[in-house]
Amino acid sequence: MAIAAGFDLAKDDVLDPAAGGAAFLSTLAGRMSIAELPPREVSHRLNGIEIDEGLAVLSRRLIAERLGAPLSREVIVSGDALRYPIPASYGLVIANPPYGRVSLDDVSGNAWKHVAHRGHVNKYALFTELCFRHAKPGGVVALVIPSSFRAGPLYDRMRTFIRSQGEVLSIGSIAGRDGVFVDVAQDISVLLARKGKPHPRGAMVSFPVIGRATATEAVVEQALPQEAGDAWPLPAADPRDYGGATLADYGVTARAGYFVWNRERDRLVQKLERHQRGYPLIWAKNVRLHEYCRPAGKNNARADFVTFDDDSAAIIKTVAAVMQRTTNDKQPRRLIAAMVDPAVIEKWGGFVTENHTIVLTADDPEKLRTAVALLNTSAVDQRYRRVSGTAAVSVTLLRQLDLPEPSAFASALVNAGGDTEIAAMTAYRRLALADA
């Protein structure tokens, strides 16, 4: 992909600031060797930084083996790339950087402000800034990074920065991730960009699926949103399939769960004492498709309770539904919602949910039930996956999610005999059919 984007295997210098086991650099060395480039020239054009000194030594040996000759210089140096002095710019900066939140105490300089918000600085965002900074004008930046950058609300600065640095050429999704990475829970994207003038408005970006046999499949292209910081959704299978509504049009509000049990263990009890004020806690594990949601403890046993000294907005006393906010990658659905059993309110007067949930409420209980049925369809789940690259469900993205208009979904439900899956697909297609 980098070669197709303009990287010249015979001329350009390369930097991998997170070299690891030299997966990229050794592959490039092998390709340069096949192209019959002199080993000395290759070893002077390949450059890597690796924080693990032992891994850096092994990687240098691997590159030498691919070249079939001793290295004429230390191709991979040992050090922290975020602090290591990098003296040059390169025709290709390629990386699969580390990820994970870091404290500002561990970050030098102010470059992080281009790609992150205070308190939410991720290593891979810092490496993205570094990679663009050290690509020469016209050079290619090729990154394998978590897909959370595409749509996460806290990555708006990173998306804006990338577009300011050059033209985004390709945003690939990895299919069959289990055959590529070991023990990785995140969805992964491959980003290709050419450093230079800011990304042109309206310029088409390719969205290939990597790892799938795409020889007979056309790579879908679409323009990025007009606002630089907006989410970069994956293209729809049919761009005419859109709903034109959001949860607000169903009269539904969404908010994150309130209680963080491991921070306030003293308030979590298994039984309320006499005169002790408290409400049952609904855990994410209590939410199941097509079942009433009931407080049943973290292990689906007896209900747990959260104590309160005063009244609180966190106590839900009306008809409500609960969604899982953090799903795992093995679950077939990312959106899982369930109505709370009315008996919960009748018995305890209210309930509380933990922070791995999202609470849905509405003034009209029937509208809420309709919205829950819609959210639990494959059609809506697929649309959410297009705009989200992480297993965590974002309240912001959920509020913005494109849904069929309520009247269209209601009409489609009647015509489909109550089949929500068919009704959702039909309702999404309604506007497309009307346009036709």
Side-chain angles (χ1 to χ4, degrees):
M1 292 175 72
I3 292 171
F7 165 62
D8 191 334
L9 197 66
K11 296 179 181 179
D12 287 330
D13 292 340
V14 181
L15 171 68
D16 182 348
F24 292 142
L25 293 181
S26 66
T27 299
L28 286 167
R31 292 201 180 194
M32 290 176 175
S33 180
I34 292 172
E36 298 184 347
L37 298 176
R40 182 178 179 83
E41 176 188 341
V42 174
S43 63
H44 274 77
R45 287 174 45 211
L46 299 182
N47 306 271
I49 306 171
E50 170 50 42
I51 198 167
D52 186 317
E53 184 174 357
L55 192 54
V57 171
L58 291 173
S59 296
R60 289 195 290 268
R61 292 176 183 171
L62 178 60
I63 293 172
E65 289 178 6
R66 297 296 292 268
L67 289 177
L71 297 178
S72 58
R73 59 184 282 270
E74 201 171 64
V75 172
I76 297 178
V77 297
S78 178
D80 180 352
L82 296 175
R83 299 176 183 275
Y84 195 91
I86 302 174
S89 57
Y90 303 85
L92 172 64
V93 183
I94 186 168
N96 175 18
Y99 54 86
R101 189 175 296 182
V102 293
S103 167
L104 284 181
D105 294 337
D106 299 322
V107 177
S108 60
N110 293 314
W112 64 270
K113 294 181 179 179
H114 298 307
V115 292
H117 293 271
R118 184 180 296 274
H120 297 277
V121 182
N122 197 294
K123 285 182 182 178
Y124 83 79
L126 298 178
F127 270 86
T128 297
E129 188 281 329
L130 180 150
C131 290
F132 275 96
R133 181 164 21 111
H134 289 287
K136 70 180 183 182
V140 174
V141 176
L143 301 174
V144 178
I145 53 179
S147 297
S148 50
F149 90 94
R150 290 194 290 102
L154 293 171
Y155 290 94
D156 56 335
R157 288 186 180 179
M158 180 172 167
R159 292 189 291 270
T160 300
F161 173 79
I162 292 171
R163 292 176 65 159
S164 75
Q165 293 298 297
E167 182 179 1
V168 179
L169 304 174
S170 180
I171 304 170
S173 301
I174 293 182
R177 189 180 64 226
D178 289 345
V180 182
F181 297 103
V182 177
D183 294 332
V184 172
Q186 287 77 8
D187 288 344
I188 302 296
S189 289
V190 176
L191 172 70
L192 268 290
R194 184 181 299 114
K195 184 173 178 178
K197 295 180 180 179
H199 183 81
R201 285 183 177 270
M204 302 303 286
V205 177
S206 67
F207 286 80
V209 177
I210 301 164
R212 181 185 294 171
T214 57
T216 59
E217 299 178 17
V219 174
V220 180
E221 294 187 341
Q222 73 177 13
L224 297 180
Q226 291 295 310
E227 295 297 324
D230 284 355
W232 299 356
L234 296 177
D238 185 339
R240 298 175 302 168
D241 287 358
Y242 62 99
T246 64
L247 276 178
D249 294 299
Y250 286 78
V252 175
T253 59
R255 56 173 170 165
Y258 154 79
F259 188 66
V260 185
W261 71 273
N262 55 354
R263 293 182 186 174
E264 299 183 273
R265 294 174 186 266
D266 59 319
R267 294 180 57 199
L268 183 64
V269 298
Q270 292 185 331
K271 183 179 180 181
L272 292 174
E273 301 295 333
R274 182 174 295 183
H275 305 306
Q276 190 175 31
R277 184 181 184 184
Y279 295 87
L281 176 65
I282 290 179
W283 299 86
K285 288 185 177 181
N286 302 152
V287 181
R288 295 185 180 88
L289 280 174
H290 312 307
E291 295 182 18
Y292 267 139
C293 180
R294 301 179 180 91
K298 190 175 183 181
N299 298 316
N300 290 311
R302 295 181 59 182
D304 297 316
F305 294 85
V306 179
T307 60
F308 287 85
D309 293 329
D310 302 299
D311 205 2
S312 169
I315 305 167
I316 311 300
K317 300 180 179 180
T318 61
V319 175
V322 181
M323 295 184 69
Q324 292 185 4
R325 190 164 70 89
T326 303
T327 55
N328 69 64
D329 194 59
K330 292 182 173 58
Q331 292 179 205
R333 292 181 186 270
R334 189 143 291 172
L335 300 183
I336 302 172
M339 293 293 297
V340 176
D341 189 340
V344 174
I345 304 294
E346 294 174 8
K347 183 174 182 179
W348 286 293
F351 65 91
V352 182
T353 70
E354 57 138 332
N355 66 310
H356 292 119
T357 64
I358 295 172
V359 179
L360 305 176
T361 55
D363 292 334
D364 186 335
E366 192 56 40
K367 287 185 177 180
L368 179 59
R369 280 189 281 270
T370 299
V372 168
L374 178 61
L375 290 171
N376 283 329
T377 63
S378 296
V380 173
D381 191 75
Q382 290 166 7
R383 276 157 181 77
Y384 185 81
R385 287 172 182 266
R386 282 195 355 241
V387 299
S388 172
T390 173
V393 178
S394 162
V395 175
T396 299
L397 294 180
L398 188 65
R399 290 169 180 160
Q400 299 170 350
L401 184 61
D402 177 51
L403 300 174
E405 292 180 354
S407 60
F409 183 56
S411 175
L413 267 175
V414 173
N415 294 333
D419 189 315
T420 55
E421 294 288 354
I422 294 175
M425 290 188 291
T426 302
Y428 272 119
R429 290 288 292 159
R430 185 186 68 87
L431 292 178
L433 293 172
D435 291 343

